[in-house]
Amino acid sequence: MNDLGTPVLDNHLHLDRENQGIEAVEDFHRLGGTHLLVVNKPSWHLGVEAETGEDFRDVFEETVSLVEEATEVLRGRAWPVLGVHPGLVTRLTDERGFEPHEARDLMQDGLSVAAEFVRDGRALALKSGRPHYDVSDAVWEASNDVLRHGLDLAADCDCALQLHTETTQDLSDVATWAAERDVPRERVVKHYATGRLVGGTPSVMSEKEYLDVAVEAGEPFLMETDFVDDADRPGAVLGPKTVPRRVQWLLEEGHADAVETAHVETPREVYGIDTLATLSS
């Protein structure tokens, strides 16, 4: 095992026991990774075509189970992040005949079930967002309603909300909605970020070019891979070894302060987790 002398957190990846599953966690561990935030896969990827909010429960339970297994592997631990993928709105409206408001209601109900896991201490944070591709005005507004419901739940649960959104470095609109609900701005986390972000905390894709931007900005940030763990998309996004490798690169480049920001300070501020105290020797 490669000990990098620091906690190493991948802030957003997926696991699927039918694909790499815990083998991916073992790869992450061997390279020096210590902590994971595991986001449930999109429900339909697990064969769940939800009709009610309760139908998402099995998806969330499966993620919690995988996180427990992952924690057994790691020197640190893993936590679940649960929610409803914003791309579901298109699957519902385009493929299953839902009206946008019907899709909204179902997705909001699924998020409410996810919030039960946070309240019970079985999950760390919530996940929501809006499509990253062009949609009709009605679908866009329905998606923003879902996102705002996610913020309502984050306020109620006193937790962070990870967001899958369009490509942008400005989420000022979401920051305004968060402020209206007394959700601290730092708890609005943009997954798949590119280094800088107005209106929340960037979870930076661990490409060197994006990390260079984040280091130069000198602001709080997190690192992620968005590993999809899908046998049909073996080269999609980044692999589970990437964050430890990029941490080693950052340390070699003299950016120890940035590593502490991304893997100790920002996780504490955003999620209230202590990656040092949860690290075993």
Side-chain angles (χ1 to χ4, degrees):
M1 185 200 71
N2 188 20
D3 185 351
L4 296 171
T6 176
V8 176
L9 169 72
D10 188 332
N11 182 65
H12 185 112
L13 89 168
H14 307 278
L15 295 175
D16 187 336
R17 68 177 70 253
E18 299 301 320
N19 291 298
Q20 285 186 251
I22 299 303
E23 291 181 9
V25 180
E26 292 169 346
D27 286 345
F28 175 75
H29 166 71
R30 277 194 297 270
L31 270 289
T34 61
H35 295 78
L36 293 171
L37 264 61
V38 181
V39 183
N40 60 271
K41 293 190 77 172
S43 50
W44 63 95
H45 286 192
L46 298 179
V48 174
E49 299 291 356
E51 298 283 350
T52 71
E54 278 296 316
D55 293 339
F56 293 93
R57 192 174 296 275
D58 286 346
V59 175
F60 303 150
E61 291 284 2
E62 172 65 3
T63 304
V64 170
S65 176
L66 278 165
V67 163
E68 291 171 352
E69 294 176 38
T71 293
E72 292 298 314
V73 173
L74 297 169
R75 286 180 57 218
R77 60 162 296 179
W79 292 271
V81 175
L82 304 179
V84 178
H85 194 286
L88 179 61
V89 70
T90 302
R91 187 171 183 87
L92 293 172
T93 56
D94 289 7
E95 299 180 24
R96 294 179 55 192
F98 279 61
E99 294 296 325
H101 72 275
E102 295 171 328
R104 174 201 65 201
D105 292 348
L106 174 59
M107 294 170 71
Q108 288 180 338
D109 288 348
L111 272 172
S112 294
V113 173
E116 294 178 20
F117 286 76
V118 178
R119 292 191 195 97
D120 292 344
R122 301 180 66 204
L124 180 66
L126 295 169
K127 153 78 182 290
S128 185
R130 58 194 182 197
H132 62 275
Y133 46 86
D134 290 339
V135 293
S136 69
D137 290 345
V139 168
W140 182 252
E141 190 52 43
S143 298
N144 276 320
D145 285 344
V146 175
L147 193 163
R148 286 187 284 262
H149 183 63
L151 288 169
D152 289 336
L153 294 169
D156 182 63
C157 295
D158 193 24
C159 73
L161 179 68
Q162 286 198 19
L163 294 178
H164 173 122
T165 76
E166 71 279 11
T167 300
T168 183
Q169 294 185 347
D170 189 349
L171 286 179
S172 296
D173 58 341
V174 178
T176 298
W177 301 335
E180 291 168 352
R181 292 158 175 81
D182 293 325
V183 174
R185 180 171 298 194
E186 63 268 18
R187 289 188 176 179
V188 176
V189 179
K190 177 168 170 43
H191 141 66
Y192 217 102
T194 56
R196 293 179 183 270
L197 183 68
V198 174
T201 300
S203 182
V204 180
M205 284 297 293
S206 295
E207 301 278 10
K208 289 182 178 180
E209 61 183 300
Y210 299 145
L211 292 172
D212 279 336
V213 172
V215 170
E216 182 179 348
E219 299 292 333
F221 74 102
L222 298 154
M223 291 173 60
E224 69 166 76
T225 57
D226 191 27
F227 174 62
V228 296
D229 203 0
D230 187 340
D232 294 331
R233 302 169 61 204
V237 204
L238 300 176
K241 300 177 184 179
T242 308
V243 167
R245 285 173 170 164
R246 294 295 185 262
V247 167
Q248 183 166 5
W249 168 72
L250 285 168
L251 292 171
E252 290 169 352
E253 293 292 310
H255 298 307
D257 288 349
V259 170
E260 183 171 0
T261 294
H263 299 276
V264 179
E265 295 173 0
T266 307
R268 181 175 60 239
E269 292 300 313
V270 172
Y271 301 110
I273 58 178
D274 191 331
T275 56
L276 286 169
T278 51
L279 193 63
S280 63
S281 59

